[in-house]
Amino acid sequence: QSALTQPPSASGSPGQSVTISCTGTSSDIGGYNYVSWYQQHPGKAPKLMIYEVSQRPSGVPDRFSGSKSGNTASLTVSGLQAEDEADYYCSSYAGRNKYVFGTGTKVTAL
Amino acid sequence: QVQLVESGGGVVQPGRSLRLSCAASGFSFSNYAMHWVRQAPGKGLQWVAVISFDGTSKYHADSVMGRFTISRDNSKNTLYLQINSLGAEDTAIYYCARDRGSGYSNGYLAYWGQGTLVTVST
């Protein structure tokens, strides 16, 4: 399974929106609606932020939203806050009962 | 509350074997699929393996197949990862994680342990 492609970095001023892309293939993102997003602060374990493309687990602020079009999934953080500074990873089912993560994006609040 | 505690990491010589453990508590362990995910120092996340709630189905990433084996003991609420023929490329933090929903895996990792560090070095 090849890693999904994410931009290395993304940034925005506090209060602005930031969108992170996650590009795969028809064998993973494009073939299934099993896309999830994780937030990871330095030295911490990842945290599930979005599942099933656009669903938010309980406790995740509604400024986090997800979508998918074709082979590309996206995570949008609306109204960026300082605590949103972290690494973000997408993940997708890749067929044959296997999964793949994205390369990761470091989000910075300017 | 859900708690996952990994153990078994450390400094290991190349070519040796290691078994990692993940002790689960705060939920019905036998109802959930479980995963291992690793992260090399300063690098991204890499999915390693998944095991079904009852242990009958196991799947590993192509890159580790044949060297890594995931298993579980539902009577002990413990998940395992056996790693053989360790190489420098296996140096990483190894996390265990639980699926969000019960039954077979959907790949949504809702709960994570804090990880155990494996360092392969002479």
Side-chain angles (χ1 to χ4, degrees), chain A residues 1 33-36 38 40 43-48 51-52 57 89 91 96-103, chain B residues 35 37 39 43-47 50 59-63 65 95 100 105-110 112-114:
Chain A
Q1 308 85 21
N33 283 326
Y34 295 123
V35 176
S36 51
Y38 300 86
Q40 187 180 33
K44 300 295 187 181
K47 175 185 176 183
L48 179 66
Y51 67 96
E52 206 170 293
Y89 295 91
S91 179
R96 299 184 299 130
N97 295 288
K98 307 195 182 192
Y99 300 88
V100 62
F101 281 98
T103 51
Chain B
H35 299 248
V37 175
Q39 186 170 35
K43 303 297 184 182
L45 301 174
Q46 181 187 17
W47 179 80
V50 61
Y59 303 96
H60 302 80
D62 292 348
S63 59
M65 208 178 307
Y95 295 100
R100 180 178 179 274
S105 177
N106 50 37
Y108 306 138
L109 307 183
W112 296 65
Q114 284 307 301

